[in-house]
Amino acid sequence: MAIRIPNRVLEAVVLSVLKEEPLYGYALTKKIQLQLPISDSTTYPILRRLEQKDLVTTRSKVFAERVRKYYELTDSGQLYLKEACADWQLFSNQINALLGEH
Amino acid sequence: MTYLNELEQALVGLPKNEQENIIEYYRNYLADGGLSDEEARVKLGESAVLAEKLKADFDQEDGDEVTTRAKQTQPLTRGQFILVILTSPIWLLVTLISFLGIASLPLLAWGIALSLIIVSAFSGIAGAVVLTQNFWGGLFYIGMAVISIGLSIMFSPCATWLVMKATDWTKALLLKIQHTARRVMNHE
C-alpha cells in the first residue's frame, strides 16, 4: 500500500482489535495483518506508546515456560478509541467527498 | 550469532529497561510465530535496521528520556577537565591493562586447551610404549592421556565462550572510551 498510515489511526486500529480481546504481540500483529498490510515491526512501537499513555495495560501469563504479555484496553483507552474513531470518520468522509469516484 | 543477540547489541544507547522490554517482546514474538533467525530477518528486517527504527521512535516520543540521555554527554567543566588531564597516567595505564587482560583471557584459555591435547598425545604414546615393559606404569600414562583429552573437551566450550565475551567487553570498553573522549573534547 502506497499510503502511509498515520500513527493516530494505527493506534486506534490496535485499540479496536484489543477491545475485542486482550492479545499478545504476535497474535495482535497477525490479526491486524488479516485486514491491513502492516509490517511485523510496526506493532511494538505502537504498543509501547499506548502503554506509556496508559491507554493499554499489560498482564503477564506464563505460557510454555515463558512469560507472555497480554495487552488490554484501559478506560482511557476506550475513550481515546472513541475520539480517534470519530476523527477518522470525519476525515475519511471529507477525503471521500473530495475524491468522489473515478 | 542469533537474531536476538544481534538486536541486543545494536540497541546499545537506549535505556537498559527499554532494551530489556524490546528483547523480551521480540523473544516472545519469534517463539509465538515459530520464526527461525532467517525468517525473523525477512519479517522484521536486519537487526541493525530494526534497532535504528526503534531508537528513532524512542527518541522522537520521549522528550524526557532524551534530555536525561543528553545529560550524560554533557561537556566537562574546567575543573573536571584539568583533573582528567592530571590523572591521565593512571587511567591510560588502567585502560591499557584492561585491554590486555581482556585479550589475554581467551588466549590463555585456548592455550590451556591446546596444551591439554598435547599432554594427552604424549602421555598416550608414552603409555603405549611403556605398557610392553611395565603394565601398570603404562596403564597410568594412558589414564593420564584420557583425563587430559577429557579436560580439553570440557575446556574448549569455555574458551569459545570467553572469546565471545572478550569481544563484547572490548566493545563495551571502546564505547565507554568514546563517550569519555567526547566529553573531554567538548570541555568548556
Side-chain angles (χ1 to χ4, degrees):
Chain A
M1 186 155 56
I3 298 174
R4 205 174 167 279
I5 311 167
N7 275 340
R8 187 166 160 81
V9 178
L10 272 176
E11 286 173 5
V13 165
V14 167
L15 288 175
S16 157
V17 173
L18 290 180
K19 192 182 172 180
E20 286 171 41
E21 56 173 333
L23 287 171
Y24 51 94
Y26 184 80
L28 172 69
T29 310
K30 292 301 132 184
K31 200 158 180 186
I32 297 172
Q33 280 174 342
L34 291 177
Q35 314 278 344
L36 197 67
I38 59 164
S39 96
D40 283 58
S41 58
T42 309
T43 334
Y44 177 81
I46 297 172
L47 285 171
R48 189 182 65 76
R49 234 172 288 142
L50 289 175
E51 192 178 358
Q52 202 183 25
K53 289 196 272 185
D54 252 346
L55 301 177
V56 299
T57 57
T58 59
R59 186 168 300 177
S60 296
K61 282 186 196 169
V62 175
F63 173 83
E65 287 175 22
R66 57 192 162 86
V67 180
R68 248 186 196 165
K69 245 186 182 180
Y70 281 76
Y71 294 83
E72 60 184 56
L73 228 60
T74 61
D75 290 343
S76 38
Q78 298 255 16
L79 219 67
Y80 184 92
L81 175 60
K82 224 173 202 166
E83 286 171 15
C85 213
D87 286 351
W88 172 252
Q89 294 296 351
L90 184 68
F91 179 72
S92 60
N93 284 341
Q94 290 165 337
I95 297 290
N96 284 340
L98 279 169
L99 286 179
E101 275 183 40
H102 294 281
Chain B
M1 201 155 56
T2 68
Y3 186 79
L4 284 173
N5 287 139
E6 282 176 26
L7 183 62
E8 203 168 356
Q9 294 200 348
L11 289 175
V12 171
L14 281 177
K16 202 83 200 140
N17 69 324
E18 176 58 13
Q19 289 186 33
E20 281 163 11
N21 285 344
I22 291 173
I23 292 300
E24 210 35 52
Y25 179 89
Y26 282 112
R27 190 192 308 285
N28 274 300
Y29 200 90
L30 299 195
D32 284 324
L35 302 176
S36 68
D37 284 341
E38 275 320 300
E39 288 165 328
R41 244 175 271 280
V42 175
K43 292 230 171 199
L44 299 169
E46 283 300 327
S47 53
V49 180
L50 178 62
E52 283 316 308
K53 275 196 222 164
L54 290 165
K55 280 184 190 174
D57 178 76
F58 191 87
D59 286 343
Q60 184 199 330
E61 290 294 322
D62 302 74
D64 294 348
E65 299 276 359
V66 173
T67 46
T68 47
R69 281 173 69 206
K71 244 181 221 157
Q72 287 169 2
T73 46
Q74 254 182 6
L76 298 178
T77 62
R78 180 164 291 270
Q80 284 173 319
F81 179 71
I82 291 168
L83 205 65
V84 167
I85 298 299
L86 280 180
T87 54
S88 63
I90 302 170
W91 57 257
L92 273 175
L93 205 67
V94 170
T95 320
L96 197 68
I97 291 171
S98 314
F99 267 121
L100 288 178
I102 289 172
S104 62
L105 272 177
L107 273 178
L108 188 73
W110 277 116
I112 292 174
L114 198 69
S115 55
L116 280 171
I117 292 172
I118 294 170
V119 165
S120 133
F122 274 109
S123 52
I125 294 166
V129 173
V130 172
L131 200 64
T132 52
Q133 296 143 27
N134 178 345
F135 178 75
W136 292 112
L139 212 58
F140 170 75
Y141 282 116
I142 290 172
M144 290 282 283
V146 173
I147 290 172
S148 317
I149 200 87
L151 280 176
S152 77
I153 289 171
M154 277 162 60
F155 213 76
S156 47
C158 167
T160 318
W161 179 83
L162 264 175
V163 171
M164 277 165 58
K165 276 289 152 196
T167 338
D168 290 350
W169 291 333
T170 314
K171 259 189 212 161
L173 197 57
L174 282 175
L175 272 174
K176 272 260 155 38
I177 292 172
Q178 197 188 7
H179 182 82
T180 317
R182 202 174 295 149
R183 289 189 62 186
V184 172
M185 301 295 242
N186 293 341
H187 80 279
E188 284 165 2

